Amino acid sequence: MCGIAVIFNYGTNDPVSEQELIRIRDRMVARGPDGEGVWISKDGRVGLAHRRLSIIDLSEGGAQPMRSEDGSAVIVFNGEIFNFRELAAVLRSEGHSFRSTSDTEVLLKLWEVHGEDMVDLLRGMYAFAIWDERRQGLFIARDPFGIKPLYVADNGKTLRVASQVK
């Protein structure tokens, strides 16, 4: 199941409250009893949090938030990408390598190669957020049928995203 949470202070220079992010994450403990994680950007304006339910990659290699190899992109992901093995095979044939067997890492590689167009390649049920340091942007996506929940609140200065309203 998993649970994701994001806070992005795009309209202010105030740092993300790590305590608020952890409170949001911990309200979703039932969504992911197998692990938890938090990441806050160097400038403090962006924070991502995750509750993990281990299904595909049970190792620590699948822990989230997950960073790209060069550290420029960070993802939190809830769901399952049904065709991730096929997508990984294509990426490997193009010279990419993987540190884990998780569909989360495949999403990160797809982001690096295809950007926003990556969603056209996905088959599955998903909700995820990617912070890209190079682009200074946040990309949020949910499967076309809305199987995985994703709630968004924006007050004009701060964007908050989570798998649950509470």
Side-chain angles (χ1 to χ4, degrees):
M1 188 173 356
C2 294
I4 65 172
V6 179
I7 301 175
F8 178 24
N9 286 340
Y10 65 88
T12 175
N13 289 324
D14 295 336
V16 166
S17 166
E18 185 173 2
Q19 291 77 24
E20 178 185 2
L21 192 58
I22 290 171
R23 277 194 313 270
I24 295 168
R25 180 200 69 196
D26 289 350
R27 292 287 293 199
M28 297 185 286
V29 70
R31 298 188 69 82
D34 298 331
E36 60 189 42
V38 171
W39 172 87
I40 296 180
S41 63
K42 288 180 185 175
D43 66 8
R45 294 180 330 131
V46 184
L48 283 69
H50 187 260
R51 292 295 319 190
R52 184 176 185 199
L53 177 65
S54 301
I55 295 174
I56 292 178
D57 184 340
L58 306 181
S59 75
E60 281 303 306
Q64 298 181 45
M66 182 182 287
R67 297 184 76 168
S68 61
E69 236 177 299
D70 68 1
S72 65
V74 183
I75 187 171
V76 285
F77 166 59
N78 171 28
E80 184 177 352
I81 305 303
F82 304 141
N83 63 333
F84 85 96
R85 288 180 182 87
E86 293 85 0
L87 294 169
V90 169
L91 289 165
R92 278 189 194 93
S93 75
E94 296 170 350
H96 299 277
S97 61
F98 295 89
R99 299 171 290 182
S100 74
T101 58
S102 74
D103 47 358
T104 307
E105 188 177 7
V106 172
L107 288 174
L108 267 177
K109 295 284 185 182
L110 288 171
W111 173 255
E112 292 173 352
V113 174
H114 298 285
E116 294 177 11
D117 292 336
M118 68 183 278
V119 296
D120 296 332
L121 304 171
L122 303 179
R123 302 294 170 259
M125 51 184 179
Y126 55 85
F128 63 86
I130 299 174
W131 171 253
D132 190 315
E133 189 67 32
R134 288 177 299 213
R135 297 176 181 155
Q136 287 291 291
L138 181 67
F139 181 68
I140 302 167
R142 186 182 72 177
D143 65 84
F145 298 106
I147 297 168
K148 291 298 178 181
L150 193 64
Y151 297 94
V152 179
D154 186 345
N155 67 8
K157 293 183 180 180
T158 300
L159 179 73
R160 290 176 177 84
V161 179
S163 297
Q164 289 181 193
V165 174
K166 290 183 179 182

